[in-house]
Amino acid sequence: MYQYTDRKNRTLADRVNAVAERRLDEGTEQDRAAATALLADMLHAAAQHGVTLDTFDWVTDLPGNGYAAVVSPLHARTTQWATAS
């Protein structure tokens, strides 16, 4: 996995864990790992365009949105459909 930190030297796992702790349902370790991996993949693609996590922080909560996508009921259904094919 790619190693990224923000301007405050927080890792991607730190950022995802902080998001999870703010939610009523903190999810599972598997959810947190999946959200961290998703965030790393997205930042790897963004880095090719000179965009960093700090850049995203100016316009959106990328760790929060990634975590929300991973724990959403729609993601669970989509994952089931993909594995059933």
Side-chain angles (χ1 to χ4, degrees):
M1 186 180 298
Y2 311 104
Q3 298 298 316
Y4 296 101
T5 57
D6 62 12
R7 63 183 169 77
K8 294 181 180 179
N9 208 32
R10 295 174 293 185
T11 66
L12 299 184
D14 293 338
R15 295 287 302 268
V16 169
N17 288 335
V19 167
E21 290 168 4
R22 290 192 306 260
R23 295 176 57 98
L24 292 175
D25 176 9
E26 294 184 18
T28 66
E29 286 298 319
Q30 185 178 9
D31 292 336
R32 292 175 187 214
T36 301
L38 173 62
L39 184 55
D41 289 344
M42 291 170 42
L43 288 173
H44 180 68
Q48 297 173 33
H49 303 279
V51 178
T52 67
L53 181 55
D54 292 322
T55 307
F56 277 113
D57 283 343
W58 279 94
V59 295
T60 192
D61 177 13
L62 196 60
N65 290 328
Y67 186 78
V70 166
V71 298
S72 78
L74 178 60
H75 177 262
R77 287 196 312 265
T78 304
T79 303
Q80 287 175 339
W81 294 333
T83 58
S85 299

